[in-house]
PDB file of all heavy atoms in Angstrom:
ATOM      1  N   LEU P1461     -63.110  29.113 -64.752  1.00  0.00           N
ATOM      2  CA  LEU P1461     -63.565  28.254 -63.662  1.00  0.00           C
ATOM      3  C   LEU P1461     -62.496  27.275 -63.206  1.00  0.00           C
ATOM      4  O   LEU P1461     -62.329  27.041 -61.999  1.00  0.00           O
ATOM      5  CB  LEU P1461     -64.823  27.494 -64.105  1.00  0.00           C
ATOM      6  CG  LEU P1461     -65.402  26.475 -63.116  1.00  0.00           C
ATOM      7  CD1 LEU P1461     -65.795  27.150 -61.808  1.00  0.00           C
ATOM      8  CD2 LEU P1461     -66.611  25.768 -63.720  1.00  0.00           C
ATOM      9  N   ILE P1462     -61.771  26.691 -64.159  1.00  0.00           N
ATOM     10  CA  ILE P1462     -60.879  25.595 -63.771  1.00  0.00           C
ATOM     11  C   ILE P1462     -59.624  26.065 -63.039  1.00  0.00           C
ATOM     12  O   ILE P1462     -58.835  25.231 -62.587  1.00  0.00           O
ATOM     13  CB  ILE P1462     -60.474  24.729 -64.987  1.00  0.00           C
ATOM     14  CG1 ILE P1462     -59.755  25.552 -66.050  1.00  0.00           C
ATOM     15  CG2 ILE P1462     -61.684  24.023 -65.565  1.00  0.00           C
ATOM     16  CD1 ILE P1462     -59.291  24.719 -67.233  1.00  0.00           C
ATOM     17  N   THR P1463     -59.445  27.381 -62.873  1.00  0.00           N
ATOM     18  CA  THR P1463     -58.328  27.850 -62.041  1.00  0.00           C
ATOM     19  C   THR P1463     -58.449  27.322 -60.613  1.00  0.00           C
ATOM     20  O   THR P1463     -57.432  27.029 -59.969  1.00  0.00           O
ATOM     21  CB  THR P1463     -58.261  29.386 -62.009  1.00  0.00           C
ATOM     22  OG1 THR P1463     -59.526  29.906 -61.576  1.00  0.00           O
ATOM     23  CG2 THR P1463     -57.922  29.961 -63.373  1.00  0.00           C
ATOM     24  N   VAL P1464     -59.683  27.184 -60.090  1.00  0.00           N
ATOM     25  CA  VAL P1464     -59.839  26.703 -58.713  1.00  0.00           C
ATOM     26  C   VAL P1464     -59.454  25.235 -58.594  1.00  0.00           C
ATOM     27  O   VAL P1464     -58.988  24.798 -57.541  1.00  0.00           O
ATOM     28  CB  VAL P1464     -61.281  26.929 -58.195  1.00  0.00           C
ATOM     29  CG1 VAL P1464     -61.611  28.409 -58.124  1.00  0.00           C
ATOM     30  CG2 VAL P1464     -62.310  26.193 -59.030  1.00  0.00           C
ATOM     31  N   PHE P1465     -59.620  24.466 -59.680  1.00  0.00           N
ATOM     32  CA  PHE P1465     -59.201  23.070 -59.654  1.00  0.00           C
ATOM     33  C   PHE P1465     -57.689  22.974 -59.442  1.00  0.00           C
ATOM     34  O   PHE P1465     -57.206  22.079 -58.755  1.00  0.00           O
ATOM     35  CB  PHE P1465     -59.585  22.370 -60.963  1.00  0.00           C
ATOM     36  CG  PHE P1465     -61.048  22.049 -61.086  1.00  0.00           C
ATOM     37  CD1 PHE P1465     -61.979  23.021 -61.429  1.00  0.00           C
ATOM     38  CD2 PHE P1465     -61.504  20.758 -60.872  1.00  0.00           C
ATOM     39  CE1 PHE P1465     -63.326  22.722 -61.555  1.00  0.00           C
ATOM     40  CE2 PHE P1465     -62.856  20.441 -60.999  1.00  0.00           C
ATOM     41  CZ  PHE P1465     -63.769  21.429 -61.328  1.00  0.00           C
ATOM     42  N   PHE P1466     -56.947  23.900 -60.037  1.00  0.00           N
ATOM     43  CA  PHE P1466     -55.498  23.929 -59.864  1.00  0.00           C
ATOM     44  C   PHE P1466     -55.133  24.173 -58.404  1.00  0.00           C
ATOM     45  O   PHE P1466     -54.252  23.505 -57.855  1.00  0.00           O
ATOM     46  CB  PHE P1466     -54.904  25.025 -60.747  1.00  0.00           C
ATOM     47  CG  PHE P1466     -53.409  25.163 -60.617  1.00  0.00           C
ATOM     48  CD1 PHE P1466     -52.565  24.386 -61.392  1.00  0.00           C
ATOM     49  CD2 PHE P1466     -52.850  26.069 -59.728  1.00  0.00           C
ATOM     50  CE1 PHE P1466     -51.178  24.508 -61.280  1.00  0.00           C
ATOM     51  CE2 PHE P1466     -51.480  26.190 -59.608  1.00  0.00           C
ATOM     52  CZ  PHE P1466     -50.635  25.411 -60.386  1.00  0.00           C
ATOM     53  N   PHE P1467     -55.817  25.119 -57.759  1.00  0.00           N
ATOM     54  CA  PHE P1467     -55.517  25.450 -56.363  1.00  0.00           C
ATOM     55  C   PHE P1467     -55.723  24.251 -55.443  1.00  0.00           C
ATOM     56  O   PHE P1467     -54.918  24.016 -54.539  1.00  0.00           O
ATOM     57  CB  PHE P1467     -56.399  26.611 -55.882  1.00  0.00           C
ATOM     58  CG  PHE P1467     -55.955  27.957 -56.381  1.00  0.00           C
ATOM     59  CD1 PHE P1467     -56.881  28.885 -56.829  1.00  0.00           C
ATOM     60  CD2 PHE P1467     -54.611  28.301 -56.392  1.00  0.00           C
ATOM     61  CE1 PHE P1467     -56.484  30.128 -57.280  1.00  0.00           C
ATOM     62  CE2 PHE P1467     -54.202  29.546 -56.846  1.00  0.00           C
ATOM     63  CZ  PHE P1467     -55.136  30.464 -57.293  1.00  0.00           C
ATOM     64  N   TRP P1468     -56.812  23.499 -55.634  1.00  0.00           N
ATOM     65  CA  TRP P1468     -57.071  22.352 -54.752  1.00  0.00           C
ATOM     66  C   TRP P1468     -55.904  21.381 -54.804  1.00  0.00           C
ATOM     67  O   TRP P1468     -55.430  20.913 -53.767  1.00  0.00           O
ATOM     68  CB  TRP P1468     -58.336  21.615 -55.173  1.00  0.00           C
ATOM     69  CG  TRP P1468     -59.567  22.438 -55.275  1.00  0.00           C
ATOM     70  CD1 TRP P1468     -59.832  23.615 -54.629  1.00  0.00           C
ATOM     71  CD2 TRP P1468     -60.718  22.166 -56.088  1.00  0.00           C
ATOM     72  NE1 TRP P1468     -61.064  24.082 -54.990  1.00  0.00           N
ATOM     73  CE2 TRP P1468     -61.628  23.213 -55.883  1.00  0.00           C
ATOM     74  CE3 TRP P1468     -61.057  21.141 -56.957  1.00  0.00           C
ATOM     75  CZ2 TRP P1468     -62.867  23.260 -56.524  1.00  0.00           C
ATOM     76  CZ3 TRP P1468     -62.283  21.184 -57.604  1.00  0.00           C
ATOM     77  CH2 TRP P1468     -63.177  22.230 -57.380  1.00  0.00           C
ATOM     78  N   GLY P1469     -55.462  21.067 -56.012  1.00  0.00           N
ATOM     79  CA  GLY P1469     -54.362  20.131 -56.150  1.00  0.00           C
ATOM     80  C   GLY P1469     -53.056  20.683 -55.617  1.00  0.00           C
ATOM     81  O   GLY P1469     -52.292  19.982 -54.941  1.00  0.00           O
ATOM     82  N   PHE P1470     -52.789  21.951 -55.883  1.00  0.00           N
ATOM     83  CA  PHE P1470     -51.544  22.594 -55.464  1.00  0.00           C
ATOM     84  C   PHE P1470     -51.388  22.548 -53.946  1.00  0.00           C
ATOM     85  O   PHE P1470     -50.338  22.154 -53.434  1.00  0.00           O
ATOM     86  CB  PHE P1470     -51.538  24.048 -55.953  1.00  0.00           C
ATOM     87  CG  PHE P1470     -50.256  24.788 -55.690  1.00  0.00           C
ATOM     88  CD1 PHE P1470     -49.284  24.872 -56.674  1.00  0.00           C
ATOM     89  CD2 PHE P1470     -50.026  25.410 -54.475  1.00  0.00           C
ATOM     90  CE1 PHE P1470     -48.097  25.555 -56.445  1.00  0.00           C
ATOM     91  CE2 PHE P1470     -48.846  26.098 -54.234  1.00  0.00           C
ATOM     92  CZ  PHE P1470     -47.874  26.171 -55.223  1.00  0.00           C
ATOM     93  N   VAL P1471     -52.426  22.945 -53.225  1.00  0.00           N
ATOM     94  CA  VAL P1471     -52.329  23.029 -51.762  1.00  0.00           C
ATOM     95  C   VAL P1471     -52.348  21.638 -51.130  1.00  0.00           C
ATOM     96  O   VAL P1471     -51.551  21.345 -50.227  1.00  0.00           O
ATOM     97  CB  VAL P1471     -53.467  23.906 -51.194  1.00  0.00           C
ATOM     98  CG1 VAL P1471     -53.439  23.902 -49.663  1.00  0.00           C
ATOM     99  CG2 VAL P1471     -53.340  25.331 -51.711  1.00  0.00           C
ATOM    100  N   ALA P1472     -53.257  20.760 -51.592  1.00  0.00           N
ATOM    101  CA  ALA P1472     -53.365  19.425 -50.989  1.00  0.00           C
ATOM    102  C   ALA P1472     -52.067  18.642 -51.137  1.00  0.00           C
ATOM    103  O   ALA P1472     -51.594  18.003 -50.188  1.00  0.00           O
ATOM    104  CB  ALA P1472     -54.525  18.655 -51.616  1.00  0.00           C
ATOM    105  N   ALA P1473     -51.450  18.688 -52.326  1.00  0.00           N
ATOM    106  CA  ALA P1473     -50.212  17.939 -52.550  1.00  0.00           C
ATOM    107  C   ALA P1473     -49.047  18.534 -51.785  1.00  0.00           C
ATOM    108  O   ALA P1473     -48.085  17.832 -51.455  1.00  0.00           O
ATOM    109  CB  ALA P1473     -49.900  17.888 -54.045  1.00  0.00           C
ATOM    110  N   SER P1474     -49.122  19.830 -51.489  1.00  0.00           N
ATOM    111  CA  SER P1474     -48.037  20.494 -50.758  1.00  0.00           C
ATOM    112  C   SER P1474     -47.939  20.033 -49.312  1.00  0.00           C
ATOM    113  O   SER P1474     -46.902  20.234 -48.669  1.00  0.00           O
ATOM    114  CB  SER P1474     -48.243  22.011 -50.796  1.00  0.00           C
ATOM    115  OG  SER P1474     -48.300  22.477 -52.122  1.00  0.00           O
ATOM    116  N   ASN P1475     -49.003  19.425 -48.807  1.00  0.00           N
ATOM    117  CA  ASN P1475     -48.976  18.965 -47.418  1.00  0.00           C
ATOM    118  C   ASN P1475     -47.840  17.974 -47.173  1.00  0.00           C
ATOM    119  O   ASN P1475     -47.298  17.901 -46.074  1.00  0.00           O
ATOM    120  CB  ASN P1475     -50.308  18.315 -47.040  1.00  0.00           C
ATOM    121  CG  ASN P1475     -51.433  19.331 -46.908  1.00  0.00           C
ATOM    122  OD1 ASN P1475     -51.197  20.536 -46.961  1.00  0.00           O
ATOM    123  ND2 ASN P1475     -52.649  18.852 -46.750  1.00  0.00           N
ATOM    124  N   GLY P1476     -47.485  17.200 -48.207  1.00  0.00           N
ATOM    125  CA  GLY P1476     -46.411  16.235 -48.054  1.00  0.00           C
ATOM    126  C   GLY P1476     -45.075  16.886 -47.743  1.00  0.00           C
ATOM    127  O   GLY P1476     -44.197  16.256 -47.136  1.00  0.00           O
ATOM    128  N   ILE P1477     -44.871  18.137 -48.167  1.00  0.00           N
ATOM    129  CA  ILE P1477     -43.659  18.897 -47.841  1.00  0.00           C
ATOM    130  C   ILE P1477     -43.838  19.623 -46.516  1.00  0.00           C
ATOM    131  O   ILE P1477     -42.933  19.694 -45.683  1.00  0.00           O
ATOM    132  CB  ILE P1477     -43.345  19.923 -48.961  1.00  0.00           C
ATOM    133  CG1 ILE P1477     -43.167  19.202 -50.302  1.00  0.00           C
ATOM    134  CG2 ILE P1477     -42.114  20.744 -48.613  1.00  0.00           C
ATOM    135  CD1 ILE P1477     -42.001  18.250 -50.353  1.00  0.00           C
ATOM    136  N   PHE P1478     -45.039  20.158 -46.311  1.00  0.00           N
ATOM    137  CA  PHE P1478     -45.304  20.986 -45.138  1.00  0.00           C
ATOM    138  C   PHE P1478     -45.323  20.166 -43.853  1.00  0.00           C
ATOM    139  O   PHE P1478     -44.913  20.646 -42.784  1.00  0.00           O
ATOM    140  CB  PHE P1478     -46.643  21.701 -45.339  1.00  0.00           C
ATOM    141  CG  PHE P1478     -46.836  22.893 -44.443  1.00  0.00           C
ATOM    142  CD1 PHE P1478     -46.046  24.017 -44.602  1.00  0.00           C
ATOM    143  CD2 PHE P1478     -47.792  22.891 -43.447  1.00  0.00           C
ATOM    144  CE1 PHE P1478     -46.222  25.124 -43.780  1.00  0.00           C
ATOM    145  CE2 PHE P1478     -47.972  23.977 -42.627  1.00  0.00           C
ATOM    146  CZ  PHE P1478     -47.184  25.106 -42.799  1.00  0.00           C
ATOM    147  N   ILE P1479     -45.789  18.915 -43.925  1.00  0.00           N
ATOM    148  CA  ILE P1479     -45.899  18.071 -42.728  1.00  0.00           C
ATOM    149  C   ILE P1479     -44.548  17.820 -42.068  1.00  0.00           C
ATOM    150  O   ILE P1479     -44.392  18.072 -40.864  1.00  0.00           O
ATOM    151  CB  ILE P1479     -46.628  16.755 -43.059  1.00  0.00           C
ATOM    152  CG1 ILE P1479     -48.132  17.012 -43.215  1.00  0.00           C
ATOM    153  CG2 ILE P1479     -46.398  15.701 -41.978  1.00  0.00           C
ATOM    154  CD1 ILE P1479     -48.914  15.830 -43.762  1.00  0.00           C
ATOM    155  N   PRO P1480     -43.530  17.315 -42.789  1.00  0.00           N
ATOM    156  CA  PRO P1480     -42.246  17.109 -42.125  1.00  0.00           C
ATOM    157  C   PRO P1480     -41.597  18.405 -41.655  1.00  0.00           C
ATOM    158  O   PRO P1480     -40.869  18.415 -40.654  1.00  0.00           O
ATOM    159  CB  PRO P1480     -41.386  16.401 -43.184  1.00  0.00           C
ATOM    160  CG  PRO P1480     -42.066  16.632 -44.474  1.00  0.00           C
ATOM    161  CD  PRO P1480     -43.523  16.789 -44.165  1.00  0.00           C
ATOM    162  N   PHE P1481     -41.850  19.516 -42.369  1.00  0.00           N
ATOM    163  CA  PHE P1481     -41.343  20.815 -41.921  1.00  0.00           C
ATOM    164  C   PHE P1481     -41.930  21.186 -40.563  1.00  0.00           C
ATOM    165  O   PHE P1481     -41.216  21.569 -39.637  1.00  0.00           O
ATOM    166  CB  PHE P1481     -41.670  21.886 -42.962  1.00  0.00           C
ATOM    167  CG  PHE P1481     -41.423  23.291 -42.474  1.00  0.00           C
ATOM    168  CD1 PHE P1481     -40.132  23.766 -42.353  1.00  0.00           C
ATOM    169  CD2 PHE P1481     -42.472  24.127 -42.122  1.00  0.00           C
ATOM    170  CE1 PHE P1481     -39.887  25.054 -41.896  1.00  0.00           C
ATOM    171  CE2 PHE P1481     -42.252  25.406 -41.664  1.00  0.00           C
ATOM    172  CZ  PHE P1481     -40.950  25.885 -41.557  1.00  0.00           C
ATOM    173  N   CYS P1482     -43.262  21.064 -40.432  1.00  0.00           N
ATOM    174  CA  CYS P1482     -43.915  21.387 -39.156  1.00  0.00           C
ATOM    175  C   CYS P1482     -43.486  20.425 -38.051  1.00  0.00           C
ATOM    176  O   CYS P1482     -43.354  20.813 -36.889  1.00  0.00           O
ATOM    177  CB  CYS P1482     -45.437  21.353 -39.311  1.00  0.00           C
ATOM    178  SG  CYS P1482     -46.125  22.798 -40.143  1.00  0.00           S
ATOM    179  N   LYS P1483     -43.266  19.156 -38.428  1.00  0.00           N
ATOM    180  CA  LYS P1483     -42.836  18.165 -37.441  1.00  0.00           C
ATOM    181  C   LYS P1483     -41.522  18.580 -36.801  1.00  0.00           C
ATOM    182  O   LYS P1483     -41.341  18.485 -35.582  1.00  0.00           O
ATOM    183  CB  LYS P1483     -42.701  16.795 -38.096  1.00  0.00           C
ATOM    184  CG  LYS P1483     -42.293  15.685 -37.126  1.00  0.00           C
ATOM    185  CD  LYS P1483     -42.137  14.345 -37.820  1.00  0.00           C
ATOM    186  CE  LYS P1483     -41.702  13.268 -36.829  1.00  0.00           C
ATOM    187  NZ  LYS P1483     -41.507  11.953 -37.500  1.00  0.00           N
ATOM    188  N   THR P1484     -40.607  19.078 -37.635  1.00  0.00           N
ATOM    189  CA  THR P1484     -39.305  19.524 -37.123  1.00  0.00           C
ATOM    190  C   THR P1484     -39.429  20.820 -36.348  1.00  0.00           C
ATOM    191  O   THR P1484     -38.901  20.952 -35.239  1.00  0.00           O
ATOM    192  CB  THR P1484     -38.312  19.706 -38.292  1.00  0.00           C
ATOM    193  OG1 THR P1484     -38.153  18.459 -38.965  1.00  0.00           O
ATOM    194  CG2 THR P1484     -36.965  20.199 -37.794  1.00  0.00           C
ATOM    195  N   HIS P1485     -40.147  21.794 -36.909  1.00  0.00           N
ATOM    196  CA  HIS P1485     -40.216  23.113 -36.289  1.00  0.00           C
ATOM    197  C   HIS P1485     -40.945  23.095 -34.946  1.00  0.00           C
ATOM    198  O   HIS P1485     -40.485  23.718 -33.977  1.00  0.00           O
ATOM    199  CB  HIS P1485     -40.906  24.112 -37.222  1.00  0.00           C
ATOM    200  CG  HIS P1485     -40.995  25.487 -36.637  1.00  0.00           C
ATOM    201  ND1 HIS P1485     -39.944  26.376 -36.686  1.00  0.00           N
ATOM    202  CD2 HIS P1485     -41.991  26.112 -35.954  1.00  0.00           C
ATOM    203  CE1 HIS P1485     -40.293  27.497 -36.070  1.00  0.00           C
ATOM    204  NE2 HIS P1485     -41.526  27.363 -35.629  1.00  0.00           N
ATOM    205  N   PHE P1486     -42.066  22.388 -34.892  1.00  0.00           N
ATOM    206  CA  PHE P1486     -42.861  22.370 -33.661  1.00  0.00           C
ATOM    207  C   PHE P1486     -42.525  21.178 -32.765  1.00  0.00           C
ATOM    208  O   PHE P1486     -43.175  20.988 -31.730  1.00  0.00           O
ATOM    209  CB  PHE P1486     -44.360  22.344 -34.007  1.00  0.00           C
ATOM    210  CG  PHE P1486     -44.866  23.626 -34.605  1.00  0.00           C
ATOM    211  CD1 PHE P1486     -45.157  23.711 -35.961  1.00  0.00           C
ATOM    212  CD2 PHE P1486     -45.051  24.760 -33.825  1.00  0.00           C
ATOM    213  CE1 PHE P1486     -45.630  24.882 -36.525  1.00  0.00           C
ATOM    214  CE2 PHE P1486     -45.525  25.945 -34.374  1.00  0.00           C
ATOM    215  CZ  PHE P1486     -45.811  26.006 -35.725  1.00  0.00           C
ATOM    216  N   GLN P1487     -41.524  20.381 -33.172  1.00  0.00           N
ATOM    217  CA  GLN P1487     -41.080  19.217 -32.399  1.00  0.00           C
ATOM    218  C   GLN P1487     -42.250  18.269 -32.105  1.00  0.00           C
ATOM    219  O   GLN P1487     -42.556  17.953 -30.962  1.00  0.00           O
ATOM    220  CB  GLN P1487     -40.396  19.668 -31.096  1.00  0.00           C
ATOM    221  CG  GLN P1487     -39.153  20.516 -31.347  1.00  0.00           C
ATOM    222  CD  GLN P1487     -38.468  20.950 -30.070  1.00  0.00           C
ATOM    223  OE1 GLN P1487     -39.088  21.054 -29.014  1.00  0.00           O
ATOM    224  NE2 GLN P1487     -37.171  21.209 -30.162  1.00  0.00           N
TER     225      GLN P1487
END
């Protein structure tokens, strides 16, 4: 069951990297 808990944290925390990437790519 707790594998899904890992996914929530993994994806949510990744937004901090993904946001500046999208900011640059999509201007």
